[in-house]
Amino acid sequence: MALHKSYGPVAAVRGIDFALPVDAYVTLLGPSGCGKTSILRMIGGFETPSSGRLLLDGADLDGVPSAARPVNTVFQSYALFPHLTVADNVAFGLEVKGRGRAEVAERTANALALVRMSEMASRRPNQLSGGQQQRVALARAIVNEPRLLLLDEPLSALDRRMRKDMQIELKDLQRRLGLTFVHVTHDQEEAFALSDHIIVMNAGRIEQQGTPEEIYRRPATAFVADFIGGANLFAGPIVGLGEGVATIATAFGPVTAPAVAGLAVGADAALCLRPEMLAPAAGGPLAATVRHVVFQGADWLVELEAAGRSVALRLESERGPTVGDRVDLGFDAAGAWITAGAPVAGDARDGH
């Protein structure tokens, strides 16, 4: 509640408030330096808030050391003990707490079974792949039966194929355990694949939180629209308002579309058009020139210049356009979105 964290003169977290849904997969998503890891470390007890309160199941965590909190963390580096076997790594926390030998053995075996690592129990970390080490780190965290599991960029060291496999396993594990997972990442695709609830961070503040679909289709700010999925953003003032819609003056003319609440006539705003929303259309409002074409297997990613700025288009066709082609682009205004705030100056997608 009203959580702040400063490191000397640098404010890393600036008065944020959020409640974690029960038994959900929650992602703190944002660029490097936005404050997401500081939040995770404060929840885990590795950092002390400069001000504000942290409550877990109604209990204040102020002054509670990390080892005494019903919270466990899976670190980016996994932090496995290289001289211990897989089973001993998982059992370590229980042994430190003085649990009986039979209980340690049973809970260790159950945790390894949950992450499908029972057959690797006698191996050491250097005999495991990155994905297997990740599973051991998860087993070591869940064996303590925490109320909350924190994951700090846990997939960043894995290759693309392994990351996708582990995303499925993480989400499946969260559902089977019935725990709340809080996962920190800067990877939008990862956040969308895993999350029930996403909290988008920027410069120490929460820009928006909600389901992946809400954040993608109805971004609250130009920052969220751009950071999530790389929207085409056309800045302009609001020139009209209606029930649930607004009219924005853009470089290629006025557009009336669904809009975020709270806009006012004259306010800076941005028209958000996702790359998949645009399509070639004879006589369409956006006259464009093809600058780059990239084949991506299922479709083509086309970069064009239109209205004095760079525009991205996803095109499903057997053949892509040719660099230098002139193309008219159209879109369905009912599927567009007008969001608050102008795009950040210097953003390549804004053409500045």
Side-chain angles (χ1 to χ4, degrees), residues 218-241:
R218 297 291 183 260
T221 66
F223 171 84
V224 175
D226 181 67
F227 188 73
I228 303 294
N232 298 303
L233 298 174
F234 297 90
I238 298 297
V239 295
L241 293 170

Side-chain angles (χ1 to χ4, degrees), residues 99-310:
R99 305 294 188 184
R101 182 176 299 179
E103 180 185 355
V104 170
E106 180 181 2
R107 287 172 61 173
T108 297
N110 289 342
L112 287 172
L114 275 170
V115 298
R116 302 181 179 91
M117 286 293 291
S118 299
E119 294 181 0
M120 305 287 185
S122 62
R123 294 193 183 185
R124 284 184 166 77
N126 65 1
Q127 298 174 302
L128 305 176
S129 69
Q132 290 168 338
Q133 290 183 47
Q134 172 69 275
R135 291 191 188 96
V136 177
L138 283 166
R140 187 176 60 182
I142 63 177
V143 77
N144 291 301
E145 300 177 349
R147 183 66 191 90
L148 192 63
L149 186 64
L150 309 178
L151 302 106
D152 185 10
E153 304 254 17
L155 309 182
S156 61
L158 306 180
D159 62 42
R160 182 177 176 82
R161 175 61 185 271
M162 197 173 291
R163 281 202 306 272
K164 288 189 174 295
D165 290 343
M166 283 304 301
Q167 287 169 10
I168 295 170
E169 293 198 25
L170 277 173
K171 185 58 185 173
D172 179 63
L173 180 63
Q174 184 269 322
R175 285 173 174 155
R176 283 187 284 131
L177 289 173
L179 284 179
T180 296
F181 281 25
V182 181
H183 181 123
V184 160
T185 185
H186 61 273
D187 187 318
Q188 301 95 312
E189 183 180 336
E190 184 173 298
F192 274 63
L194 288 167
S195 306
D196 302 306
H197 188 83
I198 297 176
I199 300 171
V200 183
M201 299 284 301
N202 180 33
R205 294 187 174 92
I206 294 175
E207 289 272 336
Q208 186 177 358
Q209 55 182 312
T211 66
E213 184 176 1
E214 289 168 348
I215 287 173
Y216 187 82
R217 299 189 185 281
R218 297 291 183 260
T221 66
F223 171 84
V224 175
D226 181 67
F227 188 73
I228 303 294
N232 298 303
L233 298 174
F234 297 90
I238 298 297
V239 295
L241 293 170
E243 188 173 344
V245 300
T247 301
I248 183 172
T250 72
F252 57 91
V255 177
T256 300
V260 69
L263 294 174
V265 172
D268 290 334
L271 175 67
C272 171
L273 297 173
R274 296 291 181 190
E276 64 272 18
M277 290 180 55
L278 294 169
L286 271 171
T289 302
V290 177
R291 295 303 185 203
H292 299 284
V293 181
V294 179
F295 179 58
Q296 297 192 320
D299 54 24
W300 300 84
L301 180 62
V302 184
E303 183 184 322
L304 310 98
E305 184 178 333
R309 46 145 296 156
S310 177

Side-chain angles (χ1 to χ4, degrees), residues 1-5 15-17 42 48-55 60-62:
M1 299 172 63
L3 199 63
H4 289 259
K5 179 61 181 178
I16 67 163
D17 288 284
M42 286 188 282
T48 302
S50 300
S51 63
R53 301 172 68 202
L54 280 167
L55 304 178
D60 197 332
L61 294 179
D62 183 36

